[in-house]
Amino acid sequence: MGGAQSVASTSLGGYIQSQYDLVKAADQPFLTVKQAMTLTPPRDYPLDFSHVATLWVIDSNKDGRFTADELMAFGDYCCQVSKHIRTHEFQIQVQASCTVTMWNALSRTDGEDAFTEWFTTVLKENGPISQVADYPGVDFLGRDTVGTLYEMLNARRVYGIDLQGFFDLMQQVGEEMGIMDIENESLDDIVPVVVVKQFCRDFIRGFRQMMKEVQLHELPTINTTSS
């Protein structure tokens, strides 16, 4: 951010910290993705915290956790952007720039694998991983985390199905892969992590196609690291 004052020492920084403290669980030093998605942005900085590329940029070290320092760094960027555009353009400009930043990362040789691992890590941090005795070596995620995935992927628009239909689809894929039995009642509220990874890869492929069509890669990228 050059020599610009950090938002951490401003009223905006105070707002960010208060929002962070409001949604953070008392026993953890970070926000899960579900918690981050419930953040309320300031009126002058309208943002959609369920936007995947925005979350990608905020989580600067890609550990699946959203910290106060990362939110402050993103706040620095938002403060700089607001000086150059009209308020009604803010959200679309930030989302477009985040999208390009993510696109550039995905365009690297290991981009698809890196994104898939990040996305999976985000979801693992969101909720507990469980195992089932009948399927040794298979990790499962719960219904609540699948609901978070549903929102992040904007699955109602992309797949044209509601949350229950999305959950059923993921379980069906798991059964077709031979790693779960949908008739087994102990599996009613979980899906295999490997299925989640497959959906992440499908998302990436759709994202790649979209970027080729709209050619947003000409827009500037974001640097939210401290200098």
Side-chain angles (χ1 to χ4, degrees), residues 41-215:
R43 182 174 58 184
D44 292 340
Y45 300 93
L47 290 167
D48 177 8
F49 285 108
S50 65
H51 185 246
V52 172
T54 299
L55 293 166
W56 166 272
V57 171
I58 293 173
D59 185 16
S60 57
N61 65 359
K62 304 298 178 284
D63 66 351
R65 301 177 174 188
F66 302 85
T67 66
D69 286 345
E70 287 175 329
L71 288 170
M72 291 296 179
F74 190 68
D76 287 334
Y77 166 74
C78 290
C79 189
Q80 293 302 310
V81 168
S82 70
K83 297 177 181 178
H84 305 289
I85 60 175
R86 296 187 178 95
T87 301
H88 73 274
E89 298 174 332
F90 179 81
Q91 182 172 335
I92 191 170
Q93 290 288 343
V94 170
Q95 287 189 183
S97 197
C98 287
T99 297
V100 174
T101 300
M102 192 172 79
W103 164 252
N104 288 340
L106 284 173
S107 298
R108 299 169 185 158
T109 303
D110 64 343
E112 183 171 319
D113 288 339
F115 178 84
T116 300
E117 287 306 311
W118 170 76
F119 209 125
T120 305
T121 299
V122 164
L123 294 172
K124 285 181 176 180
E125 291 289 347
N126 189 70
I129 300 296
S130 60
Q131 289 83 34
V132 178
D134 291 340
Y135 296 92
V138 179
D139 290 335
F140 292 86
L141 290 169
R143 185 180 292 271
D144 183 68
T145 297
V146 173
T148 301
L149 172 64
Y150 179 83
E151 292 183 47
M152 292 176 70
L153 296 183
N154 198 7
R156 180 177 294 277
R157 179 180 63 82
V158 174
Y159 296 101
I161 53 178
D162 60 15
L163 176 55
Q164 184 59 51
F166 181 70
F167 188 85
D168 292 343
L169 176 61
M170 297 190 79
Q171 285 202 322
Q172 182 179 348
V173 172
E175 184 170 55
E176 290 172 354
M177 295 175 69
I179 52 177
M180 71 178 301
D181 176 6
I182 59 177
E183 298 301 323
N184 186 334
E185 293 184 359
S186 67
L187 305 178
D188 281 353
D189 294 313
I190 55 178
V191 298
V193 170
V194 67
V195 174
V196 171
K197 286 189 175 184
Q198 183 59 53
F199 273 73
C200 290
R201 290 190 183 278
D202 289 344
F203 169 83
I204 293 169
R205 289 163 189 147
F207 177 77
R208 286 180 186 276
Q209 185 59 39
M210 180 198 73
M211 292 298 287
K212 289 177 182 177
E213 292 173 357
V214 300
Q215 296 184 330

Side-chain angles (χ1 to χ4, degrees), residues 28-49:
Q28 64 186 35
F30 62 89
L31 301 183
T32 65
V33 67
K34 184 176 181 178
Q35 291 166 340
M37 288 164 62
T38 67
L39 291 168
T40 301
R43 182 174 58 184
D44 292 340
Y45 300 93
L47 290 167
D48 177 8
F49 285 108

